[in-house]
Amino acid sequence: MRKTSLIILGLAAAGLLLGLGEPLPAAAAALAGLWLADRTPVVGDTPIPPEAAAGVDVRAVRQYREQHPGATITQAVAATTCR
């Protein structure tokens, strides 16, 4: 749904700019819309297979982060699972 919306938005902006006689910004809008639609999600949308988190003890990670305030979740997981 998100990809379709971004493609439509980019093409609509390109069509509007092309109709106004601005071919260069129209091409930039079309390319930006297609680039945004094709981006790989970075945070929040990344699927995590259930077996990837099987060995992680949530309480141990929380305790590690409480004892090491500057530690990230990734560092805490690595430290508590001995990876």
Side-chain angles (χ1 to χ4, degrees), residues 43-61:
V43 176
D45 294 336
T46 306
I48 299 172
E51 63 273 5
V56 177
D57 181 10
V58 178
R59 289 188 178 110
V61 171

Side-chain angles (χ1 to χ4, degrees):
M1 180 76 178
R2 179 177 178 262
K3 285 186 178 189
T4 305
S5 300
L6 287 174
I7 291 171
I8 291 172
L9 181 64
L11 292 177
L16 177 66
L17 289 168
L18 196 58
L20 293 173
E22 300 290 339
L24 190 58
L31 289 175
L34 292 174
W35 178 75
L36 286 171
D38 193 42
R39 284 185 34 188
T40 304
V42 176
V43 176
D45 294 336
T46 306
I48 299 172
E51 63 273 5
V56 177
D57 181 10
V58 178
R59 289 188 178 110
V61 171
R62 182 177 293 136
Q63 182 180 12
Y64 182 87
R65 292 194 69 212
E66 287 172 355
Q67 294 171 352
H68 302 87
T72 64
I73 294 174
T74 304
Q75 292 169 337
V77 169
T80 57
T81 57
C82 298
R83 290 185 187 180

